[in-house]
Amino acid sequence: MSEDKLDYKRAGVDYSRLDPLKVMAQQAARDTARHLLNAGFQEVAASRGESAYVIDMGDFYLASITECLGTKSLVADAMREIGGRTYYDQIAQDTIAAAANDLATVGARPLSIHAYWAVGGSEWFDDERRMRDLVQGWKATCDALGAAWGGGETPSLAGIVQSGTIDLAASCVGIIRPKEHLVLGEALRPGDAIVLLASSGIHANGLTLARKLAERLPQGYATPLPEGRLYGEALLDATTLYSPVVQALLAAGIDIHYMANITGHGWRKIMRHPAAFTYRIASLPPVPPVLRFLAQQAGLGPDEAYGTLNMGAGYALFLAAEDAQRAIEISQAQSVPAYLAGRVESGPRRVLIEPLNVLYDAASLDLRG
Amino acid sequence: MSEDKLDYKRAGVDYSRLDPLKVMAQQAARDTARHLLNAGFQEVAASRGESAYVIDMGDFYLASITECLGTKSLVADAMREIGGRTYYDQIAQDTIAAAANDLATVGARPLSIHAYWAVGGSEWFDDERRMRDLVQGWKATCDALGAAWGGGETPSLAGIVQSGTIDLAASCVGIIRPKEHLVLGEALRPGDAIVLLASSGIHANGLTLARKLAERLPQGYATPLPEGRLYGEALLDATTLYSPVVQALLAAGIDIHYMANITGHGWRKIMRHPAAFTYRIASLPPVPPVLRFLAQQAGLGPDEAYGTLNMGAGYALFLAAEDAQRAIEISQAQSVPAYLAGRVESGPRRVLIEPLNVLYDAASLDLRG
């Protein structure tokens, strides 16, 4: 690896150290499921390790999740100084999308959303424009998702959250009704089509890397991309909301076999399903200019770029080949471009990206333990 | 105010700057309620501004909440260096209690809990003992509450969360069934008894102040209290879980008119209900030694101490006078001491603490806007 190259370990995120905790916590959590029986309900055990937790409530399923934005707000803070805009309306959408896109993978429709906005000190709220943008963006995203904004928490955490910064997260509760809309991957099978839904840009994953790069660029976030927009501005494009696409697919009766939200670990998430399948990608969606720029400037090879960033695909749908074209049309009717990218095959658990000659084996994505 | 005195504004938490955001957000949130109708459900509008958000699901109510621990983990981190113990099993209970105690105020039984553990860098997880204590404490608290640990998020947020620290929060989804168990305060009336439930210590509110005091004490957290325990150790006593008490009261058929979790704003929270009532306190529960020490050393008068800290009362129940004694016995059977402390009267919205000659008027607690 050359000296010029930025990778994730060097940029401060070391997945190998995070995952053992995840595994230990998941095992302890599993043991608590029995409590639901006392309340007259039952956990859907197959949802353990999936992107949202699912409880069988009798007439319907309930899904819940808490997700964090990450460090994207730091880019907005830097751009506030460069161009005057706060971008916190978009940051709000990014934060909710982190939870709602995950919630949608099990087929859930969001019901209510809670805000978690932890600041380093009360002075964060002195920037009225930013505060207003955050509130209005949060509301607009709830409206776009058809979800109620249920409440929130705005703690001031001097000594934990750095002064002038904000730790943003969202909790989401959703419903799966009729119960046939539950998607946990039991139906995934060889021959299924892989449909990739376009991303709008970096979304909320890879920002640590993107920020490190900004430090190295002489003009930082103000660096113009070949297309003319500023690097920082393009990074801040709001995460696509996939929940409306998923709801439209389910409403149209499309039998979705599985879904994966392409976030951390990039395209390795295509093999999110625990079973042994080979995912063969034959064609690639367009790469957003900001991701092409980032991969190039950070010196990432295709294996690293697609293994870290979404590279133009923010969501993966797995469904019967004969449903692929209709799913693509439904997604596009929701203004989200969609691509028939490849197929599921029997074989060892891995992702093959043929046009790039890239292979990710099962060991490169250990989410469950 | 003398130079020696620590107050909340000086210690970094300025409620007057936080509340306008809260109010703006609440107004925007209210407007999103209509989305629930499209899903076939309905918000319980009276839960807006209460401690948990409630949705009418038909056969039952669903309640949800996200809450933050605050800065108590910093005390544990300091004590780790002094005595070797991590205290993160207790910190886990504190974090869940922040959410579950609020959830219980509307009469909800917790179903599932999500963990939010945001660290400054992956190295946080290198302290295996601490990590194990956090996981085991989280599980033990879920077990104590009879709730399923549904999942969690463990982001690494370099640049937002300070290196070596952790931002802990919990999301909780609960159920209210039968629907008559819903408690929103409609039944609160003059003549009701005020029953205060004992706190175990500082719980999770007032920690910024407590930490500032530690900085000023020559022996810091290692300062022995008059009772002999170390200041830091006593601060870390885990927050009492009130949910089992509330569930036992409801199961016994006690008609609880209203409940308030005594957290930020201390005893001003006794007038949490929006209506105009006067809350007359005639007798005080015992003050935990660590709170007596803190109030004394920080130079807080009774009005400031009771207006900031729980001073021995972590939860308030409001119920018909004839039910008070039975409620006290049920609480004590759950190992939570309870005290008949006063009564609700008609009159302006205020709290009168007669033994201390302290009065909090409505303007001193503006949670709703």
Side-chain angles (χ1 to χ4, degrees):
Chain A
M1 209 174 280
S2 85
E3 278 303 302
D4 276 359
K5 222 156 131 181
L6 286 171
D7 73 4
Y8 242 69
K9 258 183 211 174
R10 214 175 303 163
V13 178
D14 182 350
Y15 282 109
S16 69
R17 281 202 278 186
L18 277 171
D19 287 355
L21 172 68
K22 236 179 189 167
V23 170
M24 189 202 296
Q26 281 171 359
Q27 285 166 348
R30 237 174 251 128
D31 186 53
T32 61
R34 59 195 160 81
H35 297 306
L36 292 173
L37 298 173
N38 296 329
F41 303 116
Q42 199 168 349
E43 129 176 339
V44 178
S47 74
R48 290 270 174 204
E50 292 302 320
S51 296
Y53 185 59
V54 182
I55 301 175
D56 188 341
M57 302 294 286
D59 295 336
F60 52 80
Y61 295 106
L62 198 71
S64 56
I65 186 158
T66 297
E67 284 289 329
C68 173
L69 171 66
T71 58
K72 192 167 182 174
S73 58
L74 296 176
V75 180
D77 295 340
M79 285 301 290
R80 174 82 160 133
E81 282 167 31
I82 291 167
R85 270 196 65 186
T86 79
Y87 293 95
Y88 268 73
D89 48 346
Q90 297 173 195
I91 288 292
Q93 177 169 329
D94 287 315
T95 306
I96 296 178
N101 286 344
D102 263 4
L103 192 87
T105 62
V106 295
R109 165 189 187 148
L111 276 185
S112 66
I113 290 167
H114 281 262
Y116 181 74
W117 304 343
V119 297
S122 313
E123 73 284 352
W124 198 91
F125 301 109
D126 288 345
D127 182 341
E128 278 188 32
R129 181 71 244 167
R130 181 172 60 177
M131 168 171 144
R132 203 174 305 274
D133 286 346
L134 175 58
V135 168
Q136 287 173 351
W138 199 273
K139 179 182 181 304
T141 307
C142 288
D143 287 341
L145 292 171
W149 180 356
E153 170 81 340
T154 53
S156 187
L157 301 181
I160 294 179
V161 174
Q162 290 187 18
S163 177
T165 72
I166 188 164
D167 174 13
L168 291 155
S171 295
C172 195
V173 177
I175 188 173
I176 300 158
R177 187 185 59 173
K179 291 175 88 172
E180 300 76 55
H181 283 178
L182 179 66
V183 179
L184 289 173
E186 283 96 338
L188 188 66
R189 63 179 69 100
D192 278 356
I194 303 172
V195 170
L196 296 177
L197 306 187
S199 71
S200 58
I202 196 169
H203 288 184
N205 283 92
L207 270 301
T208 303
L209 188 70
R211 292 189 297 112
K212 288 278 172 194
L213 174 61
E215 285 171 19
R216 296 205 321 195
L217 294 169
Q219 292 178 264
Y221 292 115
T223 306
L225 300 183
E227 291 71 12
R229 298 174 74 206
L230 301 189
Y231 173 55
E233 181 196 358
L235 282 175
L236 287 166
D237 287 340
T239 305
T240 304
L241 298 172
Y242 297 107
S243 180
V245 175
V246 172
Q247 288 305 306
L249 291 167
L250 293 171
I254 298 280
D255 181 15
I256 309 174
H257 293 177
Y258 193 60
M259 288 179 265
N261 190 12
I262 310 294
T263 54
H265 302 90
W267 283 37
R268 290 181 276 173
K269 278 275 173 71
I270 289 174
M271 60 176 157
R272 201 187 190 297
H273 193 284
F277 289 117
T278 291
Y279 304 84
R280 186 181 299 272
I281 305 294
S283 69
L284 302 175
V287 180
V290 69
L291 295 182
R292 186 180 304 120
F293 177 83
L294 172 58
Q296 200 169 48
Q297 296 288 320
L300 304 183
D303 55 333
E304 294 165 299
Y306 281 77
T308 310
L309 305 167
N310 73 59
M311 297 306 278
Y315 221 70
L317 305 175
F318 306 86
L319 68 187
E322 61 266 30
D323 289 336
Q325 193 48 43
R326 225 175 116 227
I328 289 168
E329 286 159 14
I330 289 168
S331 182
Q332 284 169 344
Q334 296 287 326
S335 307
V336 178
Y339 309 92
L340 178 58
R343 66 173 185 274
V344 181
E345 298 179 352
S346 37
R349 185 162 168 248
R350 60 185 179 178
V351 179
L352 295 170
I353 311 179
E354 288 187 326
L356 301 170
N357 208 15
V358 162
L359 182 157
Y360 303 117
D361 62 17
S364 72
L365 184 79
D366 182 13
L367 297 172
R368 287 177 180 81
Chain B
M1 207 174 282
S2 86
E3 277 301 304
D4 276 357
K5 223 157 125 181
L6 286 171
D7 72 4
Y8 242 68
K9 259 184 208 172
R10 214 177 301 165
V13 178
D14 182 349
Y15 283 109
S16 68
R17 282 202 278 186
L18 276 171
D19 287 354
L21 171 68
K22 235 176 189 170
V23 170
M24 188 201 296
Q26 282 170 359
Q27 285 166 348
R30 236 175 251 128
D31 186 53
T32 61
R34 59 194 159 84
H35 297 306
L36 291 173
L37 298 174
N38 296 328
F41 303 115
Q42 198 169 350
E43 130 176 337
V44 178
S47 74
R48 290 270 174 204
E50 292 302 322
S51 296
Y53 185 59
V54 182
I55 301 175
D56 189 340
M57 303 294 286
D59 294 336
F60 53 81
Y61 295 106
L62 199 72
S64 56
I65 186 158
T66 297
E67 283 290 330
C68 174
L69 170 66
T71 58
K72 192 167 183 175
S73 59
L74 296 176
V75 180
D77 295 340
M79 284 302 290
R80 174 85 161 129
E81 282 167 31
I82 291 167
R85 270 196 65 186
T86 79
Y87 293 95
Y88 268 74
D89 47 346
Q90 295 173 198
I91 288 291
Q93 177 169 329
D94 287 315
T95 306
I96 296 178
N101 286 344
D102 264 4
L103 192 86
T105 61
V106 295
R109 166 190 184 145
L111 276 185
S112 67
I113 289 166
H114 281 262
Y116 182 74
W117 303 344
V119 297
S122 314
E123 72 285 352
W124 197 92
F125 301 110
D126 287 346
D127 182 341
E128 277 188 32
R129 182 72 246 166
R130 181 172 60 178
M131 167 172 146
R132 203 174 306 274
D133 286 346
L134 176 58
V135 168
Q136 287 173 352
W138 200 274
K139 179 182 181 303
T141 306
C142 288
D143 287 340
L145 292 171
W149 180 356
E153 169 83 336
T154 54
S156 187
L157 301 180
I160 294 179
V161 174
Q162 290 187 18
S163 177
T165 72
I166 188 165
D167 175 14
L168 291 155
S171 296
C172 195
V173 177
I175 187 172
I176 300 158
R177 189 185 58 174
K179 291 175 88 172
E180 300 75 53
H181 284 177
L182 180 67
V183 179
L184 288 172
E186 283 96 340
L188 187 68
R189 64 179 69 99
D192 278 356
I194 303 172
V195 170
L196 296 177
L197 306 187
S199 72
S200 58
I202 197 170
H203 288 182
N205 284 92
L207 270 302
T208 303
L209 187 71
R211 292 189 298 112
K212 288 277 173 196
L213 174 61
E215 286 170 19
R216 295 206 318 195
L217 293 170
Q219 293 178 264
Y221 292 114
T223 306
L225 300 183
E227 291 71 11
R229 298 175 73 207
L230 301 188
Y231 174 54
E233 182 195 358
L235 281 175
L236 287 166
D237 286 340
T239 305
T240 303
L241 299 172
Y242 297 107
S243 179
V245 175
V246 172
Q247 288 305 305
L249 291 167
L250 293 171
I254 299 280
D255 181 16
I256 310 173
H257 293 177
Y258 193 59
M259 288 178 265
N261 189 14
I262 311 293
T263 56
H265 302 89
W267 284 37
R268 290 180 277 172
K269 277 275 172 72
I270 289 174
M271 59 176 157
R272 201 187 191 298
H273 193 285
F277 290 115
T278 291
Y279 303 85
R280 186 180 300 272
I281 304 294
S283 69
L284 302 174
V287 180
V290 69
L291 295 182
R292 187 179 305 120
F293 177 83
L294 172 58
Q296 200 170 48
Q297 296 288 319
L300 304 183
D303 56 332
E304 294 165 300
Y306 280 77
T308 310
L309 306 167
N310 72 60
M311 297 307 277
Y315 221 70
L317 305 175
F318 306 87
L319 67 187
E322 61 266 30
D323 289 336
Q325 193 49 43
R326 224 174 118 227
I328 288 168
E329 286 158 15
I330 289 168
S331 182
Q332 283 168 344
Q334 296 288 327
S335 306
V336 177
Y339 309 91
L340 178 58
R343 66 171 185 275
V344 181
E345 298 180 351
S346 38
R349 185 162 167 247
R350 60 185 179 178
V351 179
L352 296 170
I353 310 180
E354 289 187 324
L356 301 170
N357 208 15
V358 162
L359 181 157
Y360 303 117
D361 63 16
S364 71
L365 184 79
D366 182 14
L367 298 171
R368 288 177 180 79

